[in-house]
Amino acid sequence: MESYILEMRNISKEFPGVKALDNVNFKVKKGEIHCLVGENGAGKSTLMKVLSGVYPYGTYEGDILIDGIVQKYSGIADSERAGIAIIYQELALVPEMTVYDNIFLGHEITKGISIDENETIQKANEVLRKVGLKVNPSTKIKDLGVGSQQLIEIAKALSKNVKILILDEPTAALNEIDSQNLLNLIRELKKQGVTSIMISHKLKEVISIADTITVLRDGKTICSMDATANQITENEIIKHMVGREIDNIYPKRSNVKMGDVTLEIKNWNVFDPNVGRQILHNINLKVRKGEIVGISGLVGAGRTELAMSIFGNTRGYKINGELYVNGKKQFFTHPRYALEAGLAYVTEDRKGDGLILIQDIKRNISLANLKKISKFGVINENEEIRIANDYKRSMNIKAPSVEQIVGNLSGGNQQKVSLCKSLFVFPNILILDEPTRGIDVGAKYEIYTIMNRLVEEGMSIIMISSDLLEVIGMSDRIYVMAEGRVTGEIDAKDASEHRIMEMATI
Amino acid sequence: MSVFEELRHLLKKNIREYGMYIALAVIIIAFGIMTDGLFVSARNISTLLNQTGYIMVLAVGMTIIIVCKHIDLSVGFLAGFTGAVAAILMTKHGVSEWLVIPIVMVFGLLVGLLNGFMVGKLGIPSYVVSLAGMFIWRGLLLLVTQETGTIIVPNKGFNAIGNGFIPDIVPDSDVHILTLIIGVAGIAIFIINSVRSRQNKIKYQFEVLSMPLFVIKLVFISIIIGGITWILASYNGLSWTVVICLAVVMIYHFITQRTSLGRHIYAVGGNDSAAQLAGINVRKITYIIFGSMSMLAAVSGILFTSRLQSATTTAGTLFELDAIASAFVGGASANGGVGKVTGSIVGALVMSALTNGMNLMGVDISYQYAIRGAVLILAVFFDVQTRKRGK
């Protein structure tokens, strides 16, 4: 019989009104890489929270067994002692503290009552070597990129003698190269005997790395597939995830006739006084009516910075260049002027600067265009509810009502609200920054369908995306950026992942 | 769904908001019993409202400051200083009180805009800006009053603001007729507004309260307004302080709950970068909230000076903390984006009802502070708990 390092038996967990987990069985073999997939809201995160003691023993039904012994955690500290370490999507590092302080945060190495700094640094160097990160341990976290920060989280876990490493969407915020490094590291750790559980939406990654794949749907275990023996395809996984087949991830759009150029930038140079250097060099770019233009490139290539510099320059850049919107020369000093000119921007960070999480759906949707629903500055709240209901229906936002607080919605539904907010200003040029990041296959498909509908109605869309297949699948034309420059422009018909990566890594 | 079930559902949904009203009612009833009715006597209720006036006005302004994740510690001594300036202008320079009031209000507004500039444009934390302001206004208050000490204000018109009552149309009647008329008019306006809003909702085919519950709600609130009116009318009627406070509350309630400006304030408090990307001028909002705050501090200074009929060297001490406590008791959140001016008014009433009731019972001042502190913690704890459960 095979030995399971971890068994979760008949786990059920209820929240008021929702059964988040329904008799889930989850078994992990010693030393394997086990991927957990499922749509948002399928119960992956809840399951991992049960495992890591966030939901203590007694608040769920069922048993957790580690090496065959039933575990009863009363908190995270207990599960850590048992050798479980969880790395969340949102990194839990203290930006103002050094790398070594962060690694040993909570289990500091002391001599007497004072911290043994030399020993700490030496131990930090050891674990940093294990994760293959070459940084000075005295560097502050805030001076490192997300990729390095992710590795430090893993180093932190390793310093606690981890047996089971849980990674929640570890590559969501990473570029291709950092992602590959991270996946290689997980493989390396496997050789050293560490068992990993990885939650991911990126099915390519899952297939390339997993020994076993478990699919959750609606709080139930759908299946557990052995990926070492059989070749599993993306389609198979998707079928299990959504319960039906999606034959084409990128919906076809009818032949849209393209019109005039709606947005154009010429010789766009941007200097960022905060970092003291030029971040965009001589960018030339244009979009036509009815066209989806993709902007691809690695994280840090300057794509979001480009969008922000066009859309009202909220970061205080110094800009030199020409911007034409709907044939008129423009320069926006605040987002409201950009909105007035027919531009809208859907941010990549919907929680950080897209939505007001403590407010409800209707207030988020109406925020950027209150003028539309008010008279002499007084808001017609009935009209607001009606409009929000219309959007809720047409965008298929899943919520009990438009009075639902946005912070309680799933990622895909939040993204739809964020999109609605931008659409309610009735733009003719829409900039979408990572429109499908961290949302599930079903919601992605819906967003793509909406995008198609919008260009068919005559909108211009600029889509910034790190997902190469998405850029190729959805765009008409693609600009590739690297290090603040446009390094290539290709027709989507001629594009391939390989060609884009070549241009993106100059 | 039966009326009873609907009522339970309604209470459950709004427990956070209703909680404060219930707490206030409990306090009033408890003190009423413990003081053998003295607490709820017409005279005492009238005094209680007049005493709370200058804090209520500050609490209104402080609410929107806290909603935007700021704080203003300078308003206490600013109120003291503007009160002293008003007194000096009237006594030494013979300026009419009707001119003095707008002058100090404009002065307050300018001071607030300067605060807004330092917070919004220069990026100095509001905590620091207003702490500095607290020192500065305290110093200036001492400076202008140290020669003369307490400045007695002889102007009858000015002193009526804090002590006087609105005139009656029927002289020498047992009850204050004009107050009754205003109360009845208030009830009528409330009912008409509620009915109209309900009809509007029905026109949009939205869910509304069932007819019986709607009527119960109307009757209940009408009784409360009527009761307060009757209590006040059987004494001296509405005081000018209450009139001013009502006006301030109604204006601010309307602005924060019904207008775009109000939405912008809550948006900035909820997530300022999202607000900015939605085209909202965050800096402008900062100017507005600080401007309004200091202007209300001037109003508060006028109310207080008028109530004492004099400006003193220590006027305004700890007003800012009473206002902040009122806002927190009234449901404002230190994390921003949450809080209503009506809540803060109830908070202010809870705090001053406690003081007043304990005074009547002869509780020692040292215990009073401790008890008020405990109530502040309890109120915020209740708030945090209900919010958690909401998630």
Side-chain angles (χ1 to χ4, degrees):
Chain A
M1 193 186 128
E2 279 172 300
S3 72
Y4 290 111
I5 187 167
L6 167 73
E7 269 185 86
M8 297 179 82
R9 284 187 191 157
N10 304 323
I11 305 281
S12 292
K13 166 87 188 161
E14 261 183 81
F15 294 111
V18 211
K19 195 151 197 183
L21 295 176
D22 187 3
N23 258 322
V24 169
N25 283 294
F26 183 58
K27 294 178 183 175
V28 180
K29 283 179 231 155
K30 203 173 175 67
E32 71 168 346
I33 299 173
H34 196 125
C35 285
L36 190 58
V37 296
E39 291 194 279
N40 284 341
K44 304 173 305 250
S45 298
T46 313
L47 188 67
M48 290 303 109
K49 280 181 180 164
V50 168
L51 176 57
S52 62
V54 174
Y55 301 129
Y57 180 76
T59 61
Y60 58 88
E61 290 164 42
D63 286 318
I64 301 174
L65 286 80
I66 289 193
D67 292 326
I69 301 159
V70 176
Q71 307 285 317
K72 295 175 180 177
Y73 304 135
S74 57
I76 300 175
D78 289 343
S79 74
E80 278 190 359
R81 220 167 294 131
I84 296 173
I86 182 159
I87 295 170
Y88 293 103
Q89 214 170 332
E90 282 92 16
L91 298 176
L93 298 169
V94 186
E96 283 293 341
M97 282 171 42
T98 61
V99 168
Y100 67 81
D101 274 337
N102 266 288
I103 291 177
F104 291 98
L105 190 63
H107 56 127
E108 291 80 3
I109 302 171
T110 52
K111 199 158 65 182
I113 54 162
S114 66
I115 287 186
D116 187 343
E117 206 143 279
N118 292 331
E119 184 70 15
T120 306
I121 292 175
Q122 201 204 332
K123 284 264 170 66
N125 269 324
E126 263 172 47
V127 285
L128 287 175
R129 214 170 304 130
K130 271 193 200 168
V131 299
L133 185 64
K134 290 187 201 88
V135 294
N136 183 342
S138 307
T139 320
K140 282 189 178 170
I141 292 294
K142 63 169 182 178
D143 297 326
L144 298 172
V146 248
S148 307
Q149 291 186 11
Q150 189 70 263
L151 294 179
I152 285 166
E153 280 276 15
I154 293 175
K156 192 169 147 188
L158 292 181
S159 74
K160 295 180 207 167
N161 289 321
V162 60
K163 280 195 282 188
I164 304 175
L165 184 65
I166 306 168
L167 302 119
D168 190 356
E169 295 260 4
T171 60
L174 302 188
N175 62 36
E176 298 273 333
I177 292 168
D178 283 347
S179 297
Q180 280 313 320
N181 283 340
L182 186 81
L183 296 179
N184 285 335
L185 172 63
I186 297 171
R187 290 190 187 102
E188 190 56 41
L189 292 175
K190 177 183 161 182
K191 282 183 201 152
Q192 295 170 20
V194 177
T195 310
S196 298
I197 301 172
M198 188 170 105
I199 297 177
S200 182
H201 281 307
K202 296 186 180 169
L203 299 182
K204 268 222 155 76
E205 259 173 38
V206 168
I207 289 167
S208 81
I209 199 170
D211 297 315
T212 312
I213 301 170
T214 295
V215 183
L216 289 186
R217 189 204 318 151
D218 301 330
K220 297 190 181 88
T221 321
I222 297 303
C223 62
S224 221
M225 299 178 278
D226 185 351
T228 45
N230 330 309
Q231 185 59 41
I232 292 167
T233 63
E234 270 184 71
N235 263 335
E236 246 172 286
I237 303 177
I238 291 172
K239 199 174 75 192
H240 290 302
M241 279 168 69
V242 298
R244 66 191 152 87
E245 278 188 73
I246 290 183
D247 22 320
N248 195 348
I249 306 174
Y250 305 103
K252 281 265 164 301
R253 61 177 166 269
S254 59
N255 245 336
V256 180
K257 198 168 177 322
M258 276 181 220
D260 299 336
V261 172
T262 49
L263 181 138
E264 181 167 17
I265 49 178
K266 285 181 184 164
N267 305 322
W268 195 253
N269 286 289
V270 174
F271 181 85
D272 185 356
N274 304 317
V275 297
R277 64 186 172 83
Q278 189 166 356
I279 49 169
L280 294 174
H281 304 265
N282 231 3
I283 309 263
N284 289 287
L285 175 155
K286 63 182 159 203
V287 198
R288 289 185 191 82
K289 184 172 152 74
E291 183 180 40
I292 297 182
V293 164
I295 300 185
S296 185
L298 302 175
V299 172
R303 297 166 305 164
T304 297
E305 289 78 359
L306 174 63
M308 295 297 253
S309 69
I310 296 172
F311 191 76
N313 191 21
T314 49
R315 295 187 180 169
Y317 299 142
K318 289 197 168 60
I319 300 170
N320 190 338
E322 290 166 53
L323 166 66
Y324 296 89
V325 177
N326 297 320
K328 209 170 136 197
K329 191 167 180 201
Q330 295 275 19
F331 183 79
F332 306 122
T333 52
H334 192 281
R336 69 175 178 279
Y337 304 120
L339 289 165
E340 279 165 15
L343 216 63
Y345 171 66
V346 180
T347 164
E348 61 173 334
D349 183 6
R350 58 181 169 263
K351 288 185 180 174
D353 51 25
L355 297 166
I356 298 173
L357 294 173
I358 56 168
Q359 289 187 0
D360 58 18
I361 295 175
K362 65 175 162 45
R363 288 188 168 211
N364 270 286
I365 291 178
S366 65
L367 184 64
N369 197 5
L370 287 169
K371 235 183 255 167
K372 177 96 187 157
I373 52 166
S374 51
K375 220 187 240 169
F376 308 115
V378 180
I379 295 165
N380 182 342
E381 290 181 54
N382 292 328
E383 192 62 18
E384 181 177 40
I385 298 174
R386 189 185 64 74
I387 286 166
N389 270 326
D390 285 350
Y391 275 113
K392 179 172 176 285
R393 212 170 306 122
S394 68
M395 292 284 198
N396 193 21
I397 297 169
K398 291 188 198 89
S401 83
V402 292
E403 260 133 40
Q404 179 74 23
I405 301 297
V406 166
N408 298 343
L409 300 178
S410 72
N413 285 310
Q414 285 182 352
Q415 186 64 15
K416 286 183 201 165
V417 174
S418 189
L419 186 57
C420 289
K421 182 178 77 170
S422 291
L423 293 180
F424 185 53
V425 302
F426 307 106
N428 69 344
I429 304 154
L430 186 63
I431 306 174
L432 300 172
D433 199 348
E434 303 285 1
T436 64
R437 171 181 289 176
I439 69 179
D440 59 64
V441 186
K444 268 185 189 176
Y445 187 83
E446 285 180 288
I447 300 252
Y448 296 143
T449 315
I450 293 164
M451 286 169 64
N452 281 348
R453 199 176 71 210
L454 293 173
V455 286
E456 278 158 21
E457 288 165 10
M459 204 179 278
S460 309
I461 294 182
I462 298 173
M463 179 180 68
I464 297 169
S465 174
S466 296
D467 184 339
L468 295 178
L469 291 175
E470 173 176 283
V471 169
I472 297 169
M474 288 303 296
S475 313
D476 295 302
R477 203 152 46 82
I478 300 164
Y479 290 99
V480 185
M481 285 181 68
E483 288 170 17
R485 291 180 172 81
V486 170
T487 50
E489 180 192 342
I490 33 175
D491 230 65
K493 289 193 294 287
D494 315 322
S496 66
E497 284 175 87
H498 188 76
R499 272 195 72 184
I500 293 178
M501 275 323 279
E502 265 181 358
M503 294 178 191
T505 50
I506 288 172
Chain B
M1 197 158 50
S2 75
V3 176
F4 180 70
E5 260 175 56
E6 195 184 353
L7 182 67
R8 226 186 50 182
H9 181 72
L10 192 73
L11 281 176
K12 213 170 156 187
K13 205 176 117 190
N14 297 310
I15 181 74
R16 235 153 60 77
E17 217 178 322
Y18 295 166
M20 288 174 319
Y21 293 95
I22 294 167
L24 181 60
V26 168
I27 289 172
I28 290 172
I29 293 166
F31 276 129
I33 294 169
M34 287 191 284
T35 60
D36 293 328
L38 193 59
F39 181 82
V40 286
S41 68
R43 185 193 166 87
N44 191 53
I45 293 291
S46 182
T47 312
L48 173 66
L49 289 175
N50 286 355
Q51 272 173 350
T52 320
Y54 54 88
I55 296 299
M56 285 204 264
V57 169
L58 286 181
V60 167
M62 196 62 81
T63 311
I64 57 173
I65 294 268
I66 291 175
V67 162
C68 289
K69 277 189 283 196
H70 288 300
I71 197 84
D72 194 336
L73 298 170
S74 68
V75 294
F77 283 112
L78 178 60
F81 176 72
T82 47
V85 168
I88 290 168
L89 284 177
M90 285 183 290
T91 53
K92 285 199 181 152
H93 304 281
V95 184
S96 135
E97 55 257 45
W98 308 119
L99 203 58
V100 163
I101 293 169
I103 289 175
V104 293
M105 281 177 70
V106 168
F107 172 74
L109 180 67
L110 293 177
V111 167
L113 292 177
L114 183 63
N115 285 344
F117 172 79
M118 286 191 280
V119 174
K121 174 93 184 183
L122 303 185
I124 308 173
S126 57
Y127 207 100
V128 176
V129 167
S130 65
L131 187 62
M134 183 174 162
F135 289 135
I136 291 168
W137 301 122
R138 182 175 203 174
L140 290 177
L141 172 63
L142 284 176
L143 185 72
V144 297
T145 54
Q146 70 186 359
E147 245 175 68
T148 49
T150 300
I151 306 165
I152 309 283
V153 180
N155 302 40
K156 278 216 173 67
F158 184 81
N159 290 338
I161 297 170
N163 300 289
F165 297 86
I166 58 171
D168 202 354
I169 41 172
V170 186
D172 306 323
S173 61
D174 281 346
V175 289
H176 200 277
I177 304 294
L178 183 59
T179 300
L180 280 186
I181 293 175
I182 292 174
V184 171
I187 291 173
I189 291 171
F190 166 71
I191 291 177
I192 292 169
N193 265 337
S194 303
V195 170
R196 198 183 282 163
S197 142
R198 188 170 190 271
Q199 279 170 344
N200 243 326
K201 281 210 154 90
I202 291 171
K203 204 159 64 188
Y204 274 91
Q205 297 176 328
F206 293 157
E207 212 177 305
V208 289
L209 286 181
S210 68
M211 201 60 193
L213 197 61
F214 178 67
V215 173
I216 290 173
K217 188 182 154 192
L218 287 189
V219 170
F220 185 71
I221 295 176
S222 301
I223 288 175
I224 290 179
I225 301 176
I228 295 171
T229 309
W230 181 254
I231 289 176
L232 293 179
S234 60
Y235 185 56
N236 283 336
L238 275 176
S239 65
W240 285 112
T241 303
V242 170
V243 172
I244 291 169
C245 287
L246 276 178
V248 169
V249 172
M250 286 195 306
I251 292 169
Y252 274 78
H253 180 72
F254 179 77
I255 291 175
T256 51
Q257 301 304 315
R258 298 293 310 278
T259 67
S260 320
L261 175 61
R263 283 298 173 77
H264 291 177
I265 289 170
Y266 283 99
V268 169
N271 184 345
D272 54 350
S273 40
Q276 190 179 30
L277 281 181
I280 295 167
N281 190 338
V282 176
R283 199 173 289 160
K284 190 175 99 187
I285 299 294
T286 311
Y287 279 105
I288 289 173
I289 59 168
F290 279 97
S292 103
M293 177 76 260
S294 295
M295 191 183 71
L296 289 175
V299 174
S300 169
I302 291 165
L303 284 172
F304 187 68
T305 308
S306 151
R307 177 134 191 94
L308 294 189
Q309 312 193 1
S310 60
T312 66
T313 51
T314 55
T317 311
L318 295 185
F319 284 10
E320 69 285 344
L321 297 188
D322 279 334
I324 292 167
S326 302
F328 282 130
V329 169
S333 159
N335 295 328
V338 177
K340 278 178 151 182
V341 293
T342 46
S344 300
I345 290 298
V346 175
L349 285 173
V350 165
M351 294 309 259
S352 73
L354 282 173
T355 311
N356 180 292
M358 288 189 287
N359 274 337
L360 289 180
M361 290 173 62
V363 177
D364 191 76
I365 186 80
S366 48
Y367 292 114
Q368 289 195 15
Y369 274 114
I371 289 170
R372 285 168 67 199
V375 167
L376 175 59
I377 293 280
L378 266 177
V380 177
F381 173 71
F382 174 77
D383 198 48
V384 171
Q385 284 303 311
T386 48
R387 202 169 303 168
K388 254 192 216 155
R389 227 185 38 187
K391 272 182 188 168

